[in-house]
Amino acid sequence: MTAIDWDRAGADLDAFGCAVLPALLDPGQCAAYAAGYTDDARFRSRVVMERHGFGRGEYRYYAYPLPPGLASLRTALYPPLARIANRWQAALGLSDRYPDAHADYLARCHAAGQLRPTPLLLQYGPGDYNCLHQDLYGDHVFPLQVAVLLARPGIDFDGGEFVLTEQRPRMQSRVEVVPLGQGDAVVFPVHTRPVNGTRGIYRVNMRHGVSRVRGGHRHTLGIIFHDAA
């Protein structure tokens, strides 16, 4: 994992609703995660998107214990994201704060009955896509999540762009398309974020998805920091 400029990431999240973390994983790590998709022992469930109206393609939720590299990555990414999340909480005038350590936040989730791990591996083929959605899973929702592109755009697949939409009150939706290279990660809001408007700071609703894959195969690692009920 390369050094991350968290000041830049926080500024981009404030300005655009997303931030790219370049080369979070190296090509060997990306290939290892993608190849592990067929290892049933790593996962607790498999979801075929078309059966549920989620889009086309499929994904698998990891089981506990998470693979060591994934567990370490989730733990390492959480503290700087918690600082951004707490700054957003303060900006919105909300009193709840997220603890500094991920283990403490997971303890909060587990005490509320959210016991199932949420990191996931997504697989797309030609014609597959992911509808706009939010990853909530329970009453406790950490407001930021991370997606890492494991495949090589233009080589392993074509199309399949990561897309965000932002709905501001009494305004039309704004769309952000996020270019990613293999191993790059995007940080983005799970459901809402604060925006500074002419009358102060207000909350906007966010959704994310993936556009149609036009050819090849695309794998993505999703890192969600709250567990599921």
PDB file of all heavy atoms in Angstrom, residues 15-45:
ATOM      1  N   ALA A  15     -15.109  18.465  -1.762  1.00  0.00           N
ATOM      2  CA  ALA A  15     -15.411  19.189  -2.993  1.00  0.00           C
ATOM      3  C   ALA A  15     -16.243  18.381  -3.983  1.00  0.00           C
ATOM      4  O   ALA A  15     -17.148  18.922  -4.627  1.00  0.00           O
ATOM      5  CB  ALA A  15     -14.097  19.631  -3.661  1.00  0.00           C
ATOM      6  N   PHE A  16     -15.940  17.092  -4.113  1.00  0.00           N
ATOM      7  CA  PHE A  16     -16.524  16.296  -5.193  1.00  0.00           C
ATOM      8  C   PHE A  16     -17.359  15.107  -4.718  1.00  0.00           C
ATOM      9  O   PHE A  16     -18.020  14.457  -5.523  1.00  0.00           O
ATOM     10  CB  PHE A  16     -15.418  15.783  -6.115  1.00  0.00           C
ATOM     11  CG  PHE A  16     -14.460  16.850  -6.566  1.00  0.00           C
ATOM     12  CD1 PHE A  16     -13.124  16.795  -6.209  1.00  0.00           C
ATOM     13  CD2 PHE A  16     -14.898  17.914  -7.335  1.00  0.00           C
ATOM     14  CE1 PHE A  16     -12.237  17.783  -6.603  1.00  0.00           C
ATOM     15  CE2 PHE A  16     -14.020  18.911  -7.749  1.00  0.00           C
ATOM     16  CZ  PHE A  16     -12.682  18.849  -7.375  1.00  0.00           C
ATOM     17  N   GLY A  17     -17.270  14.769  -3.432  1.00  0.00           N
ATOM     18  CA  GLY A  17     -17.992  13.605  -2.929  1.00  0.00           C
ATOM     19  C   GLY A  17     -17.272  12.295  -3.138  1.00  0.00           C
ATOM     20  O   GLY A  17     -17.839  11.234  -2.894  1.00  0.00           O
ATOM     21  N   CYS A  18     -16.000  12.333  -3.558  1.00  0.00           N
ATOM     22  CA  CYS A  18     -15.212  11.111  -3.724  1.00  0.00           C
ATOM     23  C   CYS A  18     -13.749  11.491  -3.762  1.00  0.00           C
ATOM     24  O   CYS A  18     -13.388  12.649  -4.007  1.00  0.00           O
ATOM     25  CB  CYS A  18     -15.599  10.353  -4.990  1.00  0.00           C
ATOM     26  SG  CYS A  18     -15.363  11.287  -6.500  1.00  0.00           S
ATOM     27  N   ALA A  19     -12.897  10.518  -3.507  1.00  0.00           N
ATOM     28  CA  ALA A  19     -11.452  10.726  -3.572  1.00  0.00           C
ATOM     29  C   ALA A  19     -10.801   9.451  -4.069  1.00  0.00           C
ATOM     30  O   ALA A  19     -11.184   8.346  -3.666  1.00  0.00           O
ATOM     31  CB  ALA A  19     -10.892  11.090  -2.193  1.00  0.00           C
ATOM     32  N   VAL A  20      -9.824   9.589  -4.945  1.00  0.00           N
ATOM     33  CA  VAL A  20      -9.088   8.439  -5.466  1.00  0.00           C
ATOM     34  C   VAL A  20      -7.810   8.261  -4.651  1.00  0.00           C
ATOM     35  O   VAL A  20      -7.082   9.224  -4.387  1.00  0.00           O
ATOM     36  CB  VAL A  20      -8.754   8.621  -6.955  1.00  0.00           C
ATOM     37  CG1 VAL A  20      -7.855   7.484  -7.456  1.00  0.00           C
ATOM     38  CG2 VAL A  20     -10.039   8.676  -7.780  1.00  0.00           C
ATOM     39  N   LEU A  21      -7.550   7.021  -4.230  1.00  0.00           N
ATOM     40  CA  LEU A  21      -6.311   6.643  -3.563  1.00  0.00           C
ATOM     41  C   LEU A  21      -5.500   5.831  -4.567  1.00  0.00           C
ATOM     42  O   LEU A  21      -5.772   4.640  -4.781  1.00  0.00           O
ATOM     43  CB  LEU A  21      -6.595   5.810  -2.314  1.00  0.00           C
ATOM     44  CG  LEU A  21      -7.630   6.365  -1.323  1.00  0.00           C
ATOM     45  CD1 LEU A  21      -7.804   5.415  -0.139  1.00  0.00           C
ATOM     46  CD2 LEU A  21      -7.252   7.764  -0.852  1.00  0.00           C
ATOM     47  N   PRO A  22      -4.511   6.430  -5.222  1.00  0.00           N
ATOM     48  CA  PRO A  22      -3.787   5.717  -6.289  1.00  0.00           C
ATOM     49  C   PRO A  22      -2.971   4.553  -5.745  1.00  0.00           C
ATOM     50  O   PRO A  22      -2.372   4.627  -4.672  1.00  0.00           O
ATOM     51  CB  PRO A  22      -2.861   6.800  -6.872  1.00  0.00           C
ATOM     52  CG  PRO A  22      -3.410   8.098  -6.386  1.00  0.00           C
ATOM     53  CD  PRO A  22      -4.051   7.819  -5.069  1.00  0.00           C
ATOM     54  N   ALA A  23      -2.962   3.455  -6.514  1.00  0.00           N
ATOM     55  CA  ALA A  23      -2.108   2.295  -6.236  1.00  0.00           C
ATOM     56  C   ALA A  23      -2.226   1.817  -4.789  1.00  0.00           C
ATOM     57  O   ALA A  23      -1.218   1.545  -4.139  1.00  0.00           O
ATOM     58  CB  ALA A  23      -0.647   2.624  -6.579  1.00  0.00           C
ATOM     59  N   LEU A  24      -3.451   1.707  -4.303  1.00  0.00           N
ATOM     60  CA  LEU A  24      -3.636   1.179  -2.945  1.00  0.00           C
ATOM     61  C   LEU A  24      -3.171  -0.271  -2.863  1.00  0.00           C
ATOM     62  O   LEU A  24      -2.618  -0.698  -1.854  1.00  0.00           O
ATOM     63  CB  LEU A  24      -5.112   1.291  -2.546  1.00  0.00           C
ATOM     64  CG  LEU A  24      -5.440   0.897  -1.106  1.00  0.00           C
ATOM     65  CD1 LEU A  24      -4.848   1.904  -0.123  1.00  0.00           C
ATOM     66  CD2 LEU A  24      -6.939   0.767  -0.907  1.00  0.00           C
ATOM     67  N   LEU A  25      -3.410  -1.035  -3.933  1.00  0.00           N
ATOM     68  CA  LEU A  25      -2.929  -2.416  -4.034  1.00  0.00           C
ATOM     69  C   LEU A  25      -2.029  -2.553  -5.254  1.00  0.00           C
ATOM     70  O   LEU A  25      -2.240  -1.872  -6.266  1.00  0.00           O
ATOM     71  CB  LEU A  25      -4.104  -3.394  -4.150  1.00  0.00           C
ATOM     72  CG  LEU A  25      -5.092  -3.452  -2.984  1.00  0.00           C
ATOM     73  CD1 LEU A  25      -6.197  -4.451  -3.294  1.00  0.00           C
ATOM     74  CD2 LEU A  25      -4.391  -3.809  -1.676  1.00  0.00           C
ATOM     75  N   ASP A  26      -1.043  -3.445  -5.162  1.00  0.00           N
ATOM     76  CA  ASP A  26      -0.176  -3.663  -6.320  1.00  0.00           C
ATOM     77  C   ASP A  26      -0.789  -4.732  -7.230  1.00  0.00           C
ATOM     78  O   ASP A  26      -1.751  -5.416  -6.839  1.00  0.00           O
ATOM     79  CB  ASP A  26       1.246  -4.023  -5.885  1.00  0.00           C
ATOM     80  CG  ASP A  26       1.350  -5.337  -5.122  1.00  0.00           C
ATOM     81  OD1 ASP A  26       0.650  -6.304  -5.468  1.00  0.00           O
ATOM     82  OD2 ASP A  26       2.161  -5.410  -4.179  1.00  0.00           O
ATOM     83  N   PRO A  27      -0.270  -4.901  -8.464  1.00  0.00           N
ATOM     84  CA  PRO A  27      -0.882  -5.856  -9.396  1.00  0.00           C
ATOM     85  C   PRO A  27      -0.958  -7.274  -8.858  1.00  0.00           C
ATOM     86  O   PRO A  27      -1.941  -7.988  -9.100  1.00  0.00           O
ATOM     87  CB  PRO A  27       0.028  -5.766 -10.626  1.00  0.00           C
ATOM     88  CG  PRO A  27       0.567  -4.377 -10.593  1.00  0.00           C
ATOM     89  CD  PRO A  27       0.777  -4.082  -9.136  1.00  0.00           C
ATOM     90  N   GLY A  28       0.064  -7.716  -8.122  1.00  0.00           N
ATOM     91  CA  GLY A  28       0.022  -9.068  -7.555  1.00  0.00           C
ATOM     92  C   GLY A  28      -1.094  -9.231  -6.539  1.00  0.00           C
ATOM     93  O   GLY A  28      -1.779 -10.267  -6.521  1.00  0.00           O
ATOM     94  N   GLN A  29      -1.289  -8.233  -5.692  1.00  0.00           N
ATOM     95  CA  GLN A  29      -2.388  -8.282  -4.721  1.00  0.00           C
ATOM     96  C   GLN A  29      -3.736  -8.286  -5.431  1.00  0.00           C
ATOM     97  O   GLN A  29      -4.650  -9.031  -5.052  1.00  0.00           O
ATOM     98  CB  GLN A  29      -2.290  -7.093  -3.772  1.00  0.00           C
ATOM     99  CG  GLN A  29      -1.102  -7.142  -2.833  1.00  0.00           C
ATOM    100  CD  GLN A  29      -0.912  -5.838  -2.072  1.00  0.00           C
ATOM    101  OE1 GLN A  29      -0.977  -4.749  -2.649  1.00  0.00           O
ATOM    102  NE2 GLN A  29      -0.696  -5.947  -0.770  1.00  0.00           N
ATOM    103  N   CYS A  30      -3.865  -7.462  -6.464  1.00  0.00           N
ATOM    104  CA  CYS A  30      -5.122  -7.421  -7.222  1.00  0.00           C
ATOM    105  C   CYS A  30      -5.434  -8.784  -7.830  1.00  0.00           C
ATOM    106  O   CYS A  30      -6.570  -9.270  -7.746  1.00  0.00           O
ATOM    107  CB  CYS A  30      -5.028  -6.370  -8.326  1.00  0.00           C
ATOM    108  SG  CYS A  30      -4.976  -4.661  -7.751  1.00  0.00           S
ATOM    109  N   ALA A  31      -4.441  -9.400  -8.448  1.00  0.00           N
ATOM    110  CA  ALA A  31      -4.646 -10.706  -9.080  1.00  0.00           C
ATOM    111  C   ALA A  31      -5.012 -11.762  -8.048  1.00  0.00           C
ATOM    112  O   ALA A  31      -5.865 -12.625  -8.302  1.00  0.00           O
ATOM    113  CB  ALA A  31      -3.388 -11.107  -9.847  1.00  0.00           C
ATOM    114  N   ALA A  32      -4.402 -11.699  -6.860  1.00  0.00           N
ATOM    115  CA  ALA A  32      -4.686 -12.695  -5.830  1.00  0.00           C
ATOM    116  C   ALA A  32      -6.116 -12.567  -5.322  1.00  0.00           C
ATOM    117  O   ALA A  32      -6.807 -13.582  -5.131  1.00  0.00           O
ATOM    118  CB  ALA A  32      -3.696 -12.543  -4.677  1.00  0.00           C
ATOM    119  N   TYR A  33      -6.588 -11.341  -5.105  1.00  0.00           N
ATOM    120  CA  TYR A  33      -7.977 -11.159  -4.673  1.00  0.00           C
ATOM    121  C   TYR A  33      -8.945 -11.668  -5.743  1.00  0.00           C
ATOM    122  O   TYR A  33      -9.908 -12.382  -5.437  1.00  0.00           O
ATOM    123  CB  TYR A  33      -8.260  -9.688  -4.376  1.00  0.00           C
ATOM    124  CG  TYR A  33      -7.820  -9.234  -3.009  1.00  0.00           C
ATOM    125  CD1 TYR A  33      -6.796  -8.313  -2.864  1.00  0.00           C
ATOM    126  CD2 TYR A  33      -8.436  -9.717  -1.856  1.00  0.00           C
ATOM    127  CE1 TYR A  33      -6.383  -7.888  -1.612  1.00  0.00           C
ATOM    128  CE2 TYR A  33      -8.032  -9.294  -0.597  1.00  0.00           C
ATOM    129  CZ  TYR A  33      -7.008  -8.381  -0.478  1.00  0.00           C
ATOM    130  OH  TYR A  33      -6.606  -7.972   0.763  1.00  0.00           O
ATOM    131  N   ALA A  34      -8.714 -11.288  -7.001  1.00  0.00           N
ATOM    132  CA  ALA A  34      -9.614 -11.708  -8.074  1.00  0.00           C
ATOM    133  C   ALA A  34      -9.635 -13.225  -8.216  1.00  0.00           C
ATOM    134  O   ALA A  34     -10.705 -13.831  -8.394  1.00  0.00           O
ATOM    135  CB  ALA A  34      -9.198 -11.043  -9.386  1.00  0.00           C
ATOM    136  N   ALA A  35      -8.466 -13.863  -8.129  1.00  0.00           N
ATOM    137  CA  ALA A  35      -8.398 -15.318  -8.276  1.00  0.00           C
ATOM    138  C   ALA A  35      -9.108 -16.024  -7.130  1.00  0.00           C
ATOM    139  O   ALA A  35      -9.582 -17.157  -7.283  1.00  0.00           O
ATOM    140  CB  ALA A  35      -6.941 -15.768  -8.341  1.00  0.00           C
ATOM    141  N   GLY A  36      -9.206 -15.373  -5.973  1.00  0.00           N
ATOM    142  CA  GLY A  36      -9.854 -15.983  -4.822  1.00  0.00           C
ATOM    143  C   GLY A  36     -11.364 -16.014  -4.899  1.00  0.00           C
ATOM    144  O   GLY A  36     -12.011 -16.580  -4.000  1.00  0.00           O
ATOM    145  N   TYR A  37     -11.954 -15.456  -5.955  1.00  0.00           N
ATOM    146  CA  TYR A  37     -13.414 -15.406  -6.053  1.00  0.00           C
ATOM    147  C   TYR A  37     -14.043 -16.799  -6.031  1.00  0.00           C
ATOM    148  O   TYR A  37     -15.168 -16.971  -5.541  1.00  0.00           O
ATOM    149  CB  TYR A  37     -13.838 -14.664  -7.327  1.00  0.00           C
ATOM    150  CG  TYR A  37     -15.320 -14.338  -7.349  1.00  0.00           C
ATOM    151  CD1 TYR A  37     -15.804 -13.199  -6.736  1.00  0.00           C
ATOM    152  CD2 TYR A  37     -16.233 -15.193  -7.964  1.00  0.00           C
ATOM    153  CE1 TYR A  37     -17.155 -12.906  -6.726  1.00  0.00           C
ATOM    154  CE2 TYR A  37     -17.583 -14.910  -7.964  1.00  0.00           C
ATOM    155  CZ  TYR A  37     -18.040 -13.767  -7.343  1.00  0.00           C
ATOM    156  OH  TYR A  37     -19.390 -13.488  -7.334  1.00  0.00           O
ATOM    157  N   THR A  38     -13.359 -17.795  -6.529  1.00  0.00           N
ATOM    158  CA  THR A  38     -13.928 -19.153  -6.618  1.00  0.00           C
ATOM    159  C   THR A  38     -13.675 -19.988  -5.361  1.00  0.00           C
ATOM    160  O   THR A  38     -14.116 -21.136  -5.300  1.00  0.00           O
ATOM    161  CB  THR A  38     -13.342 -19.890  -7.833  1.00  0.00           C
ATOM    162  OG1 THR A  38     -11.908 -19.926  -7.712  1.00  0.00           O
ATOM    163  CG2 THR A  38     -13.725 -19.178  -9.132  1.00  0.00           C
ATOM    164  N   ASP A  39     -12.999 -19.422  -4.369  1.00  0.00           N
ATOM    165  CA  ASP A  39     -12.682 -20.166  -3.147  1.00  0.00           C
ATOM    166  C   ASP A  39     -13.845 -20.031  -2.163  1.00  0.00           C
ATOM    167  O   ASP A  39     -13.948 -19.065  -1.414  1.00  0.00           O
ATOM    168  CB  ASP A  39     -11.389 -19.626  -2.537  1.00  0.00           C
ATOM    169  CG  ASP A  39     -10.946 -20.416  -1.311  1.00  0.00           C
ATOM    170  OD1 ASP A  39     -11.681 -21.332  -0.885  1.00  0.00           O
ATOM    171  OD2 ASP A  39      -9.874 -20.103  -0.766  1.00  0.00           O
ATOM    172  N   ASP A  40     -14.736 -21.027  -2.162  1.00  0.00           N
ATOM    173  CA  ASP A  40     -15.951 -20.948  -1.344  1.00  0.00           C
ATOM    174  C   ASP A  40     -15.669 -20.752   0.136  1.00  0.00           C
ATOM    175  O   ASP A  40     -16.468 -20.134   0.853  1.00  0.00           O
ATOM    176  CB  ASP A  40     -16.785 -22.224  -1.528  1.00  0.00           C
ATOM    177  CG  ASP A  40     -17.345 -22.365  -2.930  1.00  0.00           C
ATOM    178  OD1 ASP A  40     -17.403 -21.342  -3.648  1.00  0.00           O
ATOM    179  OD2 ASP A  40     -17.719 -23.491  -3.307  1.00  0.00           O
ATOM    180  N   ALA A  41     -14.535 -21.238   0.629  1.00  0.00           N
ATOM    181  CA  ALA A  41     -14.243 -21.179   2.056  1.00  0.00           C
ATOM    182  C   ALA A  41     -14.046 -19.754   2.553  1.00  0.00           C
ATOM    183  O   ALA A  41     -14.165 -19.495   3.752  1.00  0.00           O
ATOM    184  CB  ALA A  41     -12.999 -22.001   2.368  1.00  0.00           C
ATOM    185  N   ARG A  42     -13.786 -18.819   1.640  1.00  0.00           N
ATOM    186  CA  ARG A  42     -13.519 -17.435   2.055  1.00  0.00           C
ATOM    187  C   ARG A  42     -14.797 -16.632   2.287  1.00  0.00           C
ATOM    188  O   ARG A  42     -14.735 -15.554   2.874  1.00  0.00           O
ATOM    189  CB  ARG A  42     -12.693 -16.713   0.987  1.00  0.00           C
ATOM    190  CG  ARG A  42     -11.341 -17.319   0.728  1.00  0.00           C
ATOM    191  CD  ARG A  42     -10.553 -16.458  -0.231  1.00  0.00           C
ATOM    192  NE  ARG A  42      -9.269 -17.072  -0.567  1.00  0.00           N
ATOM    193  CZ  ARG A  42      -8.289 -16.442  -1.195  1.00  0.00           C
ATOM    194  NH1 ARG A  42      -8.434 -15.182  -1.564  1.00  0.00           N
ATOM    195  NH2 ARG A  42      -7.158 -17.059  -1.459  1.00  0.00           N
ATOM    196  N   PHE A  43     -15.934 -17.143   1.827  1.00  0.00           N
ATOM    197  CA  PHE A  43     -17.128 -16.306   1.721  1.00  0.00           C
ATOM    198  C   PHE A  43     -18.298 -16.871   2.519  1.00  0.00           C
ATOM    199  O   PHE A  43     -18.407 -18.083   2.717  1.00  0.00           O
ATOM    200  CB  PHE A  43     -17.533 -16.156   0.259  1.00  0.00           C
ATOM    201  CG  PHE A  43     -16.443 -15.564  -0.603  1.00  0.00           C
ATOM    202  CD1 PHE A  43     -15.629 -16.373  -1.377  1.00  0.00           C
ATOM    203  CD2 PHE A  43     -16.234 -14.194  -0.620  1.00  0.00           C
ATOM    204  CE1 PHE A  43     -14.614 -15.836  -2.151  1.00  0.00           C
ATOM    205  CE2 PHE A  43     -15.228 -13.634  -1.397  1.00  0.00           C
ATOM    206  CZ  PHE A  43     -14.417 -14.457  -2.164  1.00  0.00           C
ATOM    207  N   ARG A  44     -19.184 -15.970   2.939  1.00  0.00           N
ATOM    208  CA  ARG A  44     -20.383 -16.380   3.677  1.00  0.00           C
ATOM    209  C   ARG A  44     -21.620 -16.428   2.792  1.00  0.00           C
ATOM    210  O   ARG A  44     -22.595 -17.101   3.132  1.00  0.00           O
ATOM    211  CB  ARG A  44     -20.634 -15.436   4.855  1.00  0.00           C
ATOM    212  CG  ARG A  44     -20.961 -13.982   4.488  1.00  0.00           C
ATOM    213  CD  ARG A  44     -21.336 -13.182   5.731  1.00  0.00           C
ATOM    214  NE  ARG A  44     -21.577 -11.778   5.456  1.00  0.00           N
ATOM    215  CZ  ARG A  44     -22.727 -11.270   5.039  1.00  0.00           C
ATOM    216  NH1 ARG A  44     -23.752 -12.067   4.814  1.00  0.00           N
ATOM    217  NH2 ARG A  44     -22.860  -9.970   4.828  1.00  0.00           N
ATOM    218  N   SER A  45     -21.639 -15.716   1.663  1.00  0.00           N
ATOM    219  CA  SER A  45     -22.811 -15.736   0.786  1.00  0.00           C
ATOM    220  C   SER A  45     -22.446 -15.224  -0.605  1.00  0.00           C
ATOM    221  O   SER A  45     -21.435 -14.531  -0.778  1.00  0.00           O
ATOM    222  CB  SER A  45     -23.955 -14.897   1.360  1.00  0.00           C
ATOM    223  OG  SER A  45     -23.619 -13.526   1.368  1.00  0.00           O
TER     224      SER A  45
END
